[in-house]
Amino acid sequence: MEQYVEVGKSTIIGSDAPKPQDKNPKGIDRIIAIASGKGGVGKSTVSANLAVALAQKGLKVGLLDADAYGPSQPRMFGVNSRPASPDGETIIPLHKHGVTLISLGLMMPEDEALIWRGPMLMSALEQMVKQVQWGELDVLLVDLPPGTGDVQLTLSQKFHIAGAVVVSTPQDIALIDARRGIDMFKQMSVPLFGIVENMASFVCDGCGKEHHPFGSGGAKAEAEKLGAPFLGEVPLDLDIRIGSDGGLPVMVSKPDSPQAQAFVRIADQLVASDLYVNAKA
């Protein structure tokens, strides 16, 4: 389809007219932000397993761990090698479980604090998006820090974001912050792919009953209220926690389990959405 771009008083007609996706590194079809309004809701766990679920569907997937103050993906993927840089500029990412991965956590010791002001964070984020040799990717997931700060603003302003996935637990205190995150993306003109409810319920080993320690259906109700897609629920489960701590996401350690299938359903919802289909560069 031909595009028309105004340049002064003249008009350029043609397929080479600038597109929003031109702001992104060549070869990356879509950038999707994985966000949360507050910490501790399992955003990084969802990011890791969603990345593997998409890769298992045959997509070329990258995962950028931009949670500078709490980078979790090196532990969740079981990697600790420092990325190589053959020329001091280009960064060679790591590959694990079918996912191309880079994280600020790979640049420093695991127990060392990152004490940076906003400008340093913004510069590091741009470097990780632009200077990493991502290759050809169908989708780059960005595991954002919680909240609505510098990293979120930089990502939204410097690059074309196909959309955001917001992770929350069911209780009101988490949903209040999730609403702020959703509103931030709205103000930045970033579409919302949908909401994921994490730690939705667990099944008691002793009685076999399903329990809802954080309440039930809060994120789903919030999605309906906002007119946003509800991507699905993820249970509060020991296997998910063990896999995350051990470097084997449950999508790898137990891909046929009900816990893994929750992430598969979220991945299916994501790639089937019109927003995803129409976001290809």
Side-chain angles (χ1 to χ4, degrees):
M1 180 177 180
E2 290 186 329
Q3 299 191 29
Y4 299 73
V5 177
E6 293 283 338
V7 181
K9 293 184 179 180
S10 63
T11 300
I12 297 174
I13 304 175
S15 59
D16 292 333
K19 299 183 279 291
Q21 290 90 334
D22 292 339
K23 297 169 69 175
N24 298 340
K26 186 177 179 181
I28 300 177
D29 281 348
R30 305 166 182 84
I31 297 178
I32 296 178
I34 313 294
S36 66
K38 67 189 304 270
V41 299
K43 166 188 54 63
S44 293
T45 299
V46 170
S47 297
N49 282 283
L50 181 56
V52 176
L54 291 169
Q56 290 182 359
K57 290 176 67 67
L59 300 180
K60 296 175 183 176
V61 181
L63 177 58
L64 166 56
D65 183 2
D67 192 348
Y69 299 123
S72 304
Q73 298 304 340
R75 170 62 66 92
M76 291 186 175
F77 275 79
V79 295
N80 54 22
S81 301
R82 189 179 181 89
S85 179
D87 56 7
E89 294 287 334
T90 304
I91 303 170
I92 308 300
L94 304 184
H95 301 272
K96 194 71 178 285
H97 308 317
V99 176
T100 300
L101 173 70
I102 201 71
S103 170
L104 277 174
L106 296 168
M107 317 290 186
M108 59 187 185
E110 190 176 49
D111 57 353
E112 184 176 301
L114 184 68
I115 309 173
W116 284 359
R117 294 188 184 276
M120 296 177 70
L121 279 177
M122 292 184 283
S123 176
L125 177 64
E126 282 198 71
Q127 284 184 309
M128 289 194 297
V129 176
K130 292 180 177 179
Q131 293 178 217
V132 170
Q133 267 192 356
W134 292 109
E136 298 290 326
L137 293 180
D138 294 304
V139 58
L140 174 64
L141 301 182
V142 183
D143 179 10
L144 290 169
T148 56
D150 290 326
V151 174
Q152 288 86 344
L153 289 173
T154 298
L155 187 73
S156 301
Q157 291 173 339
K158 297 289 186 179
F159 305 101
H160 174 69
I161 311 304
V165 173
V166 174
V167 181
S168 180
T169 45
Q171 73 269 41
D172 288 345
I173 197 67
L175 288 166
I176 290 170
D177 291 326
R179 290 183 200 116
R180 295 190 180 105
I182 291 167
D183 183 64
M184 177 201 68
F185 286 119
K186 182 179 179 181
Q187 291 188 45
M188 299 301 296
S189 299
V190 174
L192 180 64
F193 274 108
I195 301 173
V196 172
E197 183 171 280
N198 193 31
M199 306 183 204
S201 64
F202 74 93
V203 176
C204 175
D205 290 338
C207 67
K209 293 182 179 179
E210 184 178 28
H211 299 273
H212 300 84
F214 301 118
S216 176
K220 184 176 183 179
E222 187 66 22
E224 292 174 353
K225 179 180 176 182
L226 295 172
F230 179 67
L231 297 178
E233 298 178 351
V234 178
L236 176 64
D237 188 85
L238 183 61
D239 285 337
I240 296 176
R241 195 278 297 168
I242 291 174
S244 297
D245 285 350
L248 286 173
V250 73
M251 281 299 310
V252 176
S253 61
K254 295 187 176 182
D256 297 323
S257 67
Q259 297 87 345
Q261 290 306 302
F263 293 108
V264 171
R265 287 190 293 272
I266 292 169
D268 288 342
Q269 285 261 87
L270 187 65
V271 300
S273 70
D274 291 340
L275 187 57
Y276 181 89
V277 172
N278 295 326
K280 183 175 173 63

